[in-house]
Amino acid sequence: MSIVDDVKTRYKSGSLLMRLIYINIAVFVVLRVVGFVSFLATGSSANLVQWVELPSSFHYFLRQPWTLITYMFSHYDVMHILFNMLWLYWLGRIFLELFTPRQLGGLYLLGGLGGAALYLACYNLIPHLSSQQSLMLGASASVLAIVVGLTLYRPDYQVSLLFFGSISLKWIAIITVFIDIIGIESDNMGGHIAHLGGALMGLWYGLSIKRGHDITSWINRCIDSVVMLFKNRPANSQPRRDSMRGPSFNYHKSTNDATSSPASSENSSPHNSTSVVDEEKLDEILGKLKQSGYAALTDEEREFLFNASRKRQ
């Protein structure tokens, strides 16, 4: 098996967390390799980074709107990507102990979008910043959204740090946000502003989850819809619901298993069999709800629980 095949296999079999990390690394490698090859061929590096950087000027942003997404998967140098990916891997694993991969991917994107929104707003609405030009790259806003969102849900979750021992997540989040606040006056003003935008998105996510609402659901539905537009379907055939797969992030379109469960044909009517299946599924979901909380339920399970409560009312 070649190196490329091995990477493809690892990507396909990896978790969403690892896929996010692989995408960031792949973008970084491609940008650097193309620049190096260009330098060898022409004597000057092709600066592809300018095509993925998010510009502070709204005028230039309208010329490169894709940078709203590309900036959060790109990095300037090795230390930049190393720090962000270690941070993402470490906190992402804890996040997945309490939430679903879809929520991780959705919050990563929302954090990046929140960081970009605050970055563009500050540089275009604050008078003394509107005259400055800035460019931004990095996954820090996305990662900080995950950190803050996780902290709001489990502030006293203990993690072990080298040289520091066990420390609560709330102190990690507080110190990180504080560093960004006092760092706004530094040379990396735009980066710190974006970090705070990601933190605000994480704050919104954490507070919403506590109220039983998942703000990542809409962006996951958007991704599912886009994927289905490009999904190759055989002519004159209807795809099975359980085979509908999402994009490279491994998102899955939620379906209701209870409605697709085949009814027994031996000594019972279809209605009775379906009722038994419904009751069993309801008991399973209620048990999961009692043990792990509402946030641990999938979109499918929440929809099933909602429909079941309406029927009983």
Side-chain angles (χ1 to χ4, degrees), residues 154 286-293:
R154 284 288 182 86
L286 290 176
K288 183 177 179 181
L289 178 65
K290 182 178 180 181
Q291 181 179 3
S292 305

Side-chain angles (χ1 to χ4, degrees), residues 1 4-15 18-19 22:
M1 179 181 293
V4 175
D5 292 334
D6 183 51
V7 171
K8 288 181 179 179
T9 301
R10 289 179 178 274
Y11 176 82
K12 290 179 180 179
S13 61
S15 65
M18 293 309 301
R19 291 187 180 194
Y22 289 153

Side-chain angles (χ1 to χ4, degrees), residues 72-136:
M72 69 180 80
F73 293 97
S74 310
H75 295 83
Y76 285 114
D77 52 46
V78 174
M79 293 306 298
H80 189 199
I81 188 173
L82 179 62
F83 180 82
N84 276 341
M85 293 304 100
L86 287 175
W87 195 235
L88 174 60
Y89 178 74
W90 178 42
L91 274 302
R93 290 185 64 181
I94 300 175
F95 187 94
L96 290 177
E97 293 178 9
L98 305 171
F99 301 100
T100 67
R102 285 173 65 90
Q103 289 171 311
L104 175 68
L107 187 54
Y108 182 97
L109 292 174
L110 287 178
L113 293 175
L118 187 61
Y119 171 77
L120 289 171
C122 288
Y123 272 90
N124 288 275
L125 298 179
I126 298 178
H128 75 274
L129 291 180
S130 59
S131 60
Q132 300 182 27
Q133 295 296 321
S134 175
L135 296 166
M136 182 176 64

Side-chain angles (χ1 to χ4, degrees), residues 66 74 151 163 232 247 268 284:
W66 60 84
S74 310
T151 301
F163 305 124
N232 293 324
S268 64
E284 180 182 346

